[in-house]
Amino acid sequence: MVTEPHELTEQEHETLRSAMERGDYEISRWVTTTGLDEELGVSHQAVSEQLRRGHRCLVEHGLPTPRK
C-alpha cells in the first residue's frame, strides 16, 4: 500500500531490490530481467513495468535540482 505519492509500492520495491541483489546494476553486466520474473513469480512484462515505475519514482523524488 502506498501512503505517499512518492513512495514505491511493495512490488516495485521487491523488484528493484531483487534486481540489485542479482547484480543487474553492475557496470560490467548486461542488464536483463531473465529469471527475475520466475524468481518473483510474475510475468516478464510485470517485472519490466515495475522496474520502470520504480525507477521513475526514485528519479522524480530522489534526484536533486542541479546547482547553477
Side-chain angles (χ1 to χ4, degrees), residues 10-58:
E10 289 181 34
Q11 294 86 8
E12 291 165 354
H13 183 270
E14 181 179 7
T15 302
L16 289 167
R17 172 64 67 186
S18 294
M20 185 183 71
E21 289 172 353
R22 287 175 8 126
D24 288 349
Y25 294 104
E26 296 297 321
I27 297 299
S28 62
R29 175 156 168 89
W30 179 258
V31 176
T32 177
T33 58
T34 303
L36 190 55
D37 51 354
E38 292 176 13
E39 182 180 323
L40 296 172
V42 297
S43 71
H44 176 76
Q45 182 177 353
V47 169
S48 180
E49 290 173 5
Q50 290 167 6
L51 285 171
R52 281 196 307 271
R53 284 193 311 263
H55 288 152
R56 180 181 176 136
C57 178
L58 292 173

